[in-house]
Each structure stands twice: as structure tokens, then as C-alpha cells.
Amino acid sequence: MFQVRINKLREKLSEYTLDGLIVSKSENIYYTTGFSGEGLAIITGQKNYIITDFRYTEQAKSETIGFEIVEIGSGLSHFSIAYNLLKDLGLSTIGFESHSLTVKEYDKLVSHFKNINLVKTNGLIEELRVTKDANEITFIKTAQEITDKAFEHILDFIKPEVSELDLVAELEYFMKKNGSEKVAFETILVSGSKTSLPHGIPSDRKIQPKDFITIDFGARFNGYCSDMTRTIIIGKPSEEQLSIYNTVLNAQIRALKLIRPGLKGKDIDNVARKYIAEQGYGKYFGHGLGHGVGLEIHEEPRLSPKGECVLLPGMVVTVEPGIYIENFGGVRIEDMVVITEEGCENLTHSEKRLICL
Ligand SMILES: [Mn+2]
């Protein structure tokens, strides 16, 4: 698996006339090497290295195959070791990940690379990561299965006078007990008028009758994220609540029906956005329709008005329209799908007709 990825990366390096790449972004190190600790990976046409420190040396040995593990001594810089290794190989043009270094790190890198030409790259490995292989899809499916189970579990706990934070604790505990390494991102669980905040922060607010409750959460399995959102209600919805909910749901269904290879992200966004606008809620849908999911919770491709990326089989994306009305509340419904040859396979199996508790 890693050899396939390294071969693809080497092809990319020669495309860009690079002799090698210094990989510093942790998800990219994990993707190309399997190493999940801290350090740098160096991929060249000849040899591959992992530069790390004592804390991770044993881990690096057990997680990787075909890499030379170089342990840095105390007081030494990863970049100076990288420079010496690359110099010894006689290489002259090396790429680095400009999107993952701080200015301070960049200055340090430049100070060590005296006689090697450094080239900024942006997203080389991300371009490989955008379509998932069969293993990755299995991991994402497993993460989503845990998420679906946790949603069913938490429904029994949602009732008036229980706080948002209590529910988050129960939800995350359940996911861990069921195989999630950690949360895919900070759980969003908001109630009442706070549901108008797309990324609201859970608090000690207690659930009240007639509240919308929005739960946006995910698990992580072998490093891979899941992502889903459901909005439910305590008691019977008002006419307006029901109209908002059904508008979001119908927008999502329209987008899910359209998804297929060959279309652009913006085409999918447009069908949902147009429908919501037609129902009179256009100005209340202020974010993109969806995003890729993988080792990171937000990846390419984007399903947004600016989404130029052409969809391909193996891409995993969310579809998550929403309507948010200040001082009233909001609804978001989010599924995660994998794009197939014919359309898409929905990986999210939780109920999405309005659940009234
Ligand atoms: Mn999402």
C-alpha cells in the first residue's frame, strides 16, 4: 500500500522536476509512510527516510517498511539532518510543503539548506489523497458505522433538563467504547436558538421543550474520519420549524441524487442552493454544501459555489445543506458518501426524517 503511494509520489516529483520532497504535514507523513509520530519524512527517487527523536524511534521502526529511521540527537534540528542526508545523496532540487510550515520553521529550513535548491510545493500529496483506495474506504465506513450507532444511542439520553455537555460526554464515551480512537473533530451539539450557529459550542445549557438540537460529530478509525449531522426536535415542531427542516432535507436529497463522476463540486452545491433559495431561505444558507473527508475532516474536493474540482470515483464527500436564522434556530442534515462509477454510495444510515422526542 505505501509502496504504491510512494511510486505515485515519485511520478509527481519527476513531473515537477524535483529530486525529493521533505514531508512535514503529519497527515501526509502518515499517508506516505504509515508513521504516526512526530518528525519529518523524506522521499527521494533513491532512498526514503524518517527523521524523528528518541520518543518515536521504536514506533517509527514498527510502523514503517523500507524507510531508514534517523534519530536526531538533542539540540539538533530536523532540517539540518535532512540537509546532510540529501547532500550525501548528491541531490540538488528539493521540494517542501509550504502549506505546513510556520514562518519560523521556514526560516530555519532556509538557514540549513545552503547548497540545495528549495522549491515550495502546495498539496502534492493531497492530490494523491483526494481519491481513496479500498482500504481507506473501509476505514471511513467503519468510522461511520460507529457514528451511526452512537446517534441511535444518544437518542435515549436526549430529554428536557439534560445539558448539552452531558450529551457530548455520553456520545463521545460511547464512540470510544465502540472503537473510535478519538473524535474526528470537536463535537458540535447545540440546542434551542443556538442551533442558528453552524459551529456552535456545547455548553451547560439544558435542553428545553420545542428545542431543535443539532448534533454534528464523527469518529476516527485508523486515522480516518467520519462526519455526520442530524437535527432533531423535542416535542411537536411548529409550522415554521417543519418547513425549514423539510427544505433542508429536500435540498440534500436533490444533491445526493445528482452526485456522480464528471460533475464539478459547484454543480452539486448549485442544485441544493437553488432549491433553498426557491423556498425563500436563500440568505440563511451561508456555507458550502460539503467537503471531502479522509485523514483530515475537511479536505478536497469542496462542494461549494467555487468548487472547480471534477468528481471522480473513490472521492468521499459530505452533503450538508443548512438553514440558520439568528435568534430562532437552525437545521443542518449531513451525510457522507463515496462517489462510485454510477453515482454515489451513502455511508450514513441514520434516520433523517425529523425525529420528535
Ligand atoms: Mn462536515
Side-chain angles (χ1 to χ4, degrees), residues 51-108:
I51 304 172
T52 187
D53 64 78
F54 176 80
R55 295 172 300 165
Y56 300 104
T57 310
E58 184 181 344
Q59 184 182 332
K61 280 185 204 156
S62 70
E63 286 180 334
T64 65
I65 297 168
F67 284 80
E68 189 172 315
I69 315 294
V70 183
E71 185 178 304
I72 63 166
S74 63
L76 284 174
S77 148
H78 289 74
F79 292 135
S80 74
I81 306 260
Y83 177 76
N84 289 334
L85 293 169
L86 291 163
K87 200 87 198 115
D88 287 347
L89 292 176
L91 302 179
S92 60
T93 307
I94 300 296
F96 68 97
E97 297 190 293
S98 66
H99 54 305
S100 92
L101 295 186
T102 63
V103 174
K104 191 176 168 185
E105 286 164 339
Y106 172 73
D107 286 344
K108 208 171 199 179

Side-chain angles (χ1 to χ4, degrees), residues 146 149 170-180:
I146 297 167
K149 256 166 86 176
E170 182 61 39
L171 188 73
E172 293 183 356
Y173 176 73
F174 181 90
M175 287 200 289
K176 271 215 163 152
K177 289 287 263 186
N178 283 273
S180 173

Side-chain angles (χ1 to χ4, degrees), residues 185 199 216 227-229 290-291 293 297-298 318 320 332 334:
F185 55 93
H199 279 186
D216 183 353
D227 190 6
M228 78 175 258
T229 307
H291 54 86
V293 181
I297 187 62
H298 296 128
T318 67
E320 50 179 310
R332 178 166 65 258
E334 174 180 32

Side-chain angles (χ1 to χ4, degrees), residues 13-24:
L13 294 181
S14 51
E15 208 179 292
Y16 287 84
T17 58
L18 296 171
D19 297 326
L21 181 69
I22 300 172
V23 187
S24 52

